[in-house]
Amino acid sequence: MPKIVDHDQRRIELVDATWRIIARHGIEGATMREIALEAGFANGALKPYFPTKDDLITFAFGHVFNRTNQRIAGRSAGKAGLEALRAFCQEVLPLDEDRINEARIVIPFWQKALTDPAKAELHETSMNQWRAALQGHLREARDRGEVTAAVGEEDIVNQLMSMLLGAQIVAAMSPGEHLPAQLDAALDAYLTLLRPVPARGEVGENDA
Amino acid sequence: MPKIVDHDQRRIELVDATWRIIARHGIEGATMREIALEAGFANGALKPYFPTKDDLITFAFGHVFNRTNQRIAGRSAGKAGLEALRAFCQEVLPLDEDRINEARIVIPFWQKALTDPAKAELHETSMNQWRAALQGHLREARDRGEVTAAVGEEDIVNQLMSMLLGAQIVAAMSPGEHLPAQLDAALDAYLTLLRPVPARGEVGENDA
């Protein structure tokens, strides 16, 4: 019987190897030869999967996007409105080492997308999916009276999208020890801004 | 008399040429040879200014940072508190083609900084300067009663920093026609979230 090769699994192993190489040497240092070596492939064996490094980077971006969406689905199961919105954002934010490594894959993808229309389109499509999800949660939160800020939904979605993408830069550039806690706190504080302001008398320590 | 060469001016001409080349071909396509050609230099004449493309990218980032700070100084002159905060953010946001091109320089710099500690440090120092400026304006806005949101200053600064950096990605990836207006509207809406909520009776159209 011929050996059965799970090609999808092989692709993911390659992406994982790419990850480690990029984290170590940056994308320029990540030659196809090194990636093959790291993944335990013979030098030419990568070609059928990823003819060029560009193909690999595109696949890696898709892989990060799918992984994030799987985490979101897990975390937001059974949640609605503002809680679902919060779960979504928390899974996109780079709040642990694994996700900071994801940011390290996404930044080279962005750099490539600057001059590669196919990559830019993939980015646009992916981000539009996220925008739609955020919009859905936000609308639900409004309906439930959890969001009362006198600010349009589109503006809130734009703020969140910029914040989530910017956090990838912040985390990848300065992965300090307290950073995940800071990003998480900033998200919570932002959601507080959207919530109903308690009527006078309900506020505790801020009362004069 | 020997010809006097203004080396700082030459460096800026080179950066401007780099800009145009990167905008056209991306950073990988931008060879030192092409940059020299675009700037009207003989092929070897770049070396004394920028021994490597890496040096050039670092200089270009510094140049963008300084240009932005000059614009900020101009725009926020005579302004204080929330108005100064707004002017600051508007000058960092990629609200016109020139600033979208700046974003196209900054993204390759970020990508390089992922594995270049000197670049990462330059980024950190520059961003800390901005954080301090935002914090100063915010404190003043609090003192003047323009910001009353029950959210800590550090959280607001973190939100703004992520939003400003994320907007560079959004603009460079999808430079649509309406994007600058959307980014500007999202900023204004965010500042609205920080402002005092009008007492009941002061609100017009939202009253039942």
Side-chain angles (χ1 to χ4, degrees):
Chain A
M1 239 179 90
K3 196 172 151 199
I4 293 167
V5 179
D6 182 338
H7 289 287
D8 287 342
Q9 183 53 36
R10 292 287 255 179
R11 267 198 192 89
I12 288 172
E13 281 165 24
L14 278 169
V15 166
D16 280 337
T18 312
W19 223 276
R20 293 191 293 271
I21 295 279
I22 289 181
R24 233 177 282 151
H25 309 295
I27 205 145
E28 271 119 327
T31 64
M32 291 299 264
R33 172 185 290 270
E34 271 181 304
I35 293 164
L37 196 74
E38 175 84 23
F41 277 58
N43 189 21
L46 255 77
K47 286 266 178 230
Y49 297 97
F50 303 110
T52 67
K53 200 160 76 175
D54 242 44
D55 299 315
L56 216 165
I57 291 170
T58 300
F59 185 84
F61 173 81
H63 184 52
V64 167
F65 184 67
N66 291 338
R67 263 170 51 139
T68 308
N69 289 338
Q70 274 165 21
R71 284 198 310 262
I72 291 169
R75 270 290 294 278
S76 58
K79 294 195 174 74
L82 201 66
E83 271 313 298
L85 187 72
R86 186 164 177 268
F88 183 103
C89 294
Q90 281 189 321
E91 288 308 327
V92 176
L93 283 178
L95 298 183
D96 55 37
E97 209 179 324
D98 215 40
R99 283 177 277 170
I100 293 175
N101 275 335
E102 289 180 355
R104 295 172 71 86
I105 294 281
V106 169
I107 292 171
F109 175 82
W110 284 335
Q111 189 251 303
K112 295 272 183 190
L114 287 173
T115 50
D116 180 337
K119 285 193 180 52
E121 202 184 315
L122 173 60
H123 187 258
E124 182 103 344
T125 309
S126 309
M127 293 306 103
N128 283 342
Q129 232 175 289
W130 279 3
R131 300 177 77 83
L134 288 171
Q135 190 121 26
H137 294 316
L138 192 58
R139 197 158 295 161
E140 201 178 30
R142 282 254 198 231
D143 290 346
R144 295 158 63 102
E146 295 166 343
V147 166
T148 53
V151 160
E153 261 168 38
E154 202 194 327
D155 286 330
I156 295 175
V157 171
N158 285 335
Q159 287 160 14
L160 280 169
M161 284 302 294
S162 285
M163 257 191 278
L164 295 175
L165 298 186
Q168 313 297 320
I169 305 289
V170 172
M173 292 292 109
S174 337
E177 213 183 309
H178 303 297
L179 192 81
Q182 278 169 21
L183 292 173
D184 203 22
L187 170 65
D188 272 347
Y190 176 79
L191 297 178
T192 299
L193 291 175
L194 303 180
R195 284 202 185 96
V197 175
R200 278 170 197 283
E202 282 184 58
V203 185
E205 53 186 353
N206 287 329
D207 278 354
Chain B
M1 236 177 91
K3 198 173 151 197
I4 292 166
V5 179
D6 182 338
H7 289 287
D8 287 343
Q9 183 53 35
R10 292 286 254 181
R11 268 199 191 86
I12 288 172
E13 281 166 23
L14 277 169
V15 166
D16 280 338
T18 312
W19 222 277
R20 292 190 294 271
I21 295 280
I22 290 181
R24 236 178 278 151
H25 308 297
I27 205 146
E28 270 118 331
T31 64
M32 292 298 267
R33 174 185 289 272
E34 271 180 306
I35 293 164
L37 196 74
E38 176 83 23
F41 278 56
N43 189 22
L46 255 78
K47 285 267 178 230
Y49 297 99
F50 304 110
T52 68
K53 201 161 77 172
D54 242 43
D55 299 315
L56 216 165
I57 291 170
T58 301
F59 185 84
F61 173 80
H63 184 52
V64 166
F65 185 67
N66 291 337
R67 264 170 51 139
T68 308
N69 289 338
Q70 274 165 20
R71 283 198 310 261
I72 291 170
R75 268 291 293 280
S76 57
K79 293 194 175 73
L82 201 66
E83 271 313 297
L85 186 73
R86 185 165 178 265
F88 183 103
C89 296
Q90 282 190 319
E91 288 308 326
V92 176
L93 283 179
L95 299 183
D96 56 37
E97 208 178 325
D98 215 40
R99 283 177 276 171
I100 293 174
N101 276 334
E102 289 181 354
R104 295 171 71 86
I105 293 281
V106 169
I107 292 170
F109 175 82
W110 285 334
Q111 189 251 303
K112 295 273 183 188
L114 285 174
T115 50
D116 179 337
K119 284 192 180 53
E121 203 185 315
L122 173 61
H123 187 258
E124 183 102 343
T125 309
S126 309
M127 292 306 102
N128 283 343
Q129 232 175 289
W130 280 3
R131 300 176 76 83
L134 287 171
Q135 191 119 27
H137 294 318
L138 193 57
R139 197 157 295 161
E140 200 177 32
R142 282 254 198 232
D143 291 345
R144 294 157 63 102
E146 295 166 343
V147 166
T148 53
V151 159
E153 260 168 37
E154 202 193 327
D155 287 330
I156 295 175
V157 170
N158 284 335
Q159 287 161 13
L160 280 168
M161 284 302 294
S162 285
M163 256 191 278
L164 294 175
L165 298 186
Q168 313 298 320
I169 306 289
V170 172
M173 292 293 109
S174 337
E177 212 183 311
H178 303 298
L179 191 80
Q182 278 170 21
L183 292 173
D184 202 21
L187 169 65
D188 273 346
Y190 176 78
L191 298 178
T192 299
L193 291 174
L194 303 181
R195 283 202 187 98
V197 176
R200 277 170 198 283
E202 282 184 57
V203 184
E205 54 188 353
N206 287 330
D207 278 354

